[in-house]
Amino acid sequence: MKTEFVRIDEARPLSDQMSRAAEIIRRGGLVAFPTETVYGLGGNGLNAEASRAIYAAKGRPSDNPLILHIDEPTKAERYAVTNETYYALARRFMPGPLTVILPKKDIVPDSTTGGLDSVALRCPENPIAHAFLVACDLPIAAPSANLSGKPSPTTAEHVRDDMDGRIEMILDGGPCEIGVESTIVKITDAGVTLLRPGAITAEMLREVVPEVSVDPTVTEKPSEDLRPQAPGMKYRHYAPNAPVFLLCDDGTDDFDARAIRFLSENKRDGAGILCFEEYLPVLAGEKTISLGAKADEKAHAHRLFAALRELDKLPIKAIYATVAKTDGEGLAFYNRMLKASGYHFVRL
Ligand code: TXA
Ligand code: MG
């Protein structure tokens, strides 16, 4: 299959540029598109064949459900059993980087939800994503547009690296603003559970819904008795070719000095380094990528996936990365690094 690469011109009306993409979707084909979080691999979410094609293109296990993308929060009514909590969250956070899990309606095929009786819904804010959804006039099932197990794509080039020849079209809307996937919450009678951290934090959710718990697998290694509620979080994820090891800031005064010493030694031995900007005076060089300033949690999330892909192109045997444990915006970065490393910490 030849993959068409379309650069979006934001100076021209977006709707004019979406008609071919929408045509592909209505025929059951696949189109990758930008969102404010990461690029998505879209297909008609009501068409079981299109969902199966998404799993095949990604090489993804078919028990791992897809998110349905809608152009307007009230369209959730068509696909899910909504409630007050949904509308409270939607009023505050939609469109935006939030995915909500609700009981599904029969119109959504089992192949889209991996056989679950719930469905994940998200209304993205990115104008290109919005124009694409409006033009398709269908709910769009879209996982991140990477090969299963690889870091999520935050540019159209990342999508091309993974998906060239596997899908019909890639819409290039430039780099994604946020850079990590949406916050996922499950709404039940008991309240709201955060299953995957993203740009919308637990604290922000608590301003709208009093009861918000965080699934333990967000910060701890899943085991037999600790199973993630989002099936996708049990797979090895975000993993570059080289093994990743984490240096976690423990809050001690000399952490930075000890980390810099450790990283310098390993850099000399040829490792790739992903570190806070403050370390660059000592560590700058070809195999070092800065995460941004230590306090700039937005920057860490924004740079993470591109950095892992960049390091993947270098001949290195290991990657060492600095992380800090937080409850706020930095939790998304920390959670993805846990998965990229397979929970491997270095003790300094
Ligand atoms: O930001 C995002 O959410 C991006 C963009 C493209 O919108 N999409 C994305 O999709 O990250 P994906 O497929 O890579 O991750 C979806 C996650 C998976 O971990 C999956 O298991 C979980 O959502 N999920 C989907 N439906 C679910 C359901 N009904 N119950 C529990 N977890 C669900
Ligand atoms: Mg994904």
Side-chain angles (χ1 to χ4, degrees), residues 21-225:
E23 218 171 89
I24 291 171
I25 293 292
R26 280 194 287 270
R27 273 197 273 110
L30 306 183
V31 175
F33 62 100
T35 82
E36 66 275 25
T37 57
V38 300
Y39 274 74
L41 174 54
N44 177 355
L46 299 182
N47 175 339
E49 280 306 314
S51 302
R52 278 192 276 273
I54 291 174
Y55 289 112
K58 274 182 70 88
R60 172 168 174 158
S62 60
D63 67 343
N64 187 2
L66 307 173
I67 297 173
L68 271 193
H69 294 68
I70 50 182
D71 61 13
E72 223 249 294
T74 57
K75 290 210 177 141
E77 293 302 333
R78 301 182 184 177
Y79 315 114
V81 183
T82 63
N83 53 33
E84 262 312 301
T85 306
Y86 169 76
Y87 279 104
L89 291 172
R91 270 195 298 278
R92 177 70 174 270
F93 299 115
M94 290 186 187
L98 180 70
T99 295
V100 170
I101 296 170
L102 288 166
K104 91 173 186 73
K105 289 190 174 165
D106 288 343
I107 185 174
V108 183
D110 283 342
S111 57
T112 299
T113 61
L116 296 178
D117 52 13
S118 58
V119 61
L121 293 166
R122 157 154 144 77
C123 178
E125 187 169 29
N126 176 290
I128 299 168
H130 182 78
F132 172 63
L133 294 173
V134 170
C136 293
D137 195 22
L138 284 166
I140 297 298
S144 48
N146 51 286
L147 286 173
S148 188
K150 289 284 154 197
S152 295
T154 56
T155 68
E157 286 71 30
H158 297 160
V159 179
R160 180 150 59 183
D161 288 344
D162 282 15
M163 290 295 154
D164 198 19
R166 292 171 169 261
I167 61 176
E168 287 180 63
M169 186 181 273
I170 299 171
L171 299 175
D172 178 2
C176 299
E177 205 181 309
I178 295 172
V180 281
E181 306 89 337
S182 60
T183 300
I184 302 183
V185 297
K186 184 166 187 159
I187 301 178
T188 61
D189 296 338
V192 165
T193 310
L194 188 144
L195 305 185
R196 181 176 73 181
I200 294 172
T201 64
E203 197 180 311
M204 290 160 75
L205 294 164
R206 284 187 193 112
E207 286 168 15
V208 181
V209 191
E211 276 314 308
V212 178
S213 56
V214 178
D215 191 82
T217 63
V218 166
T219 53
E220 279 161 56
K221 189 174 180 172
S223 62
E224 268 313 302
D225 37 308

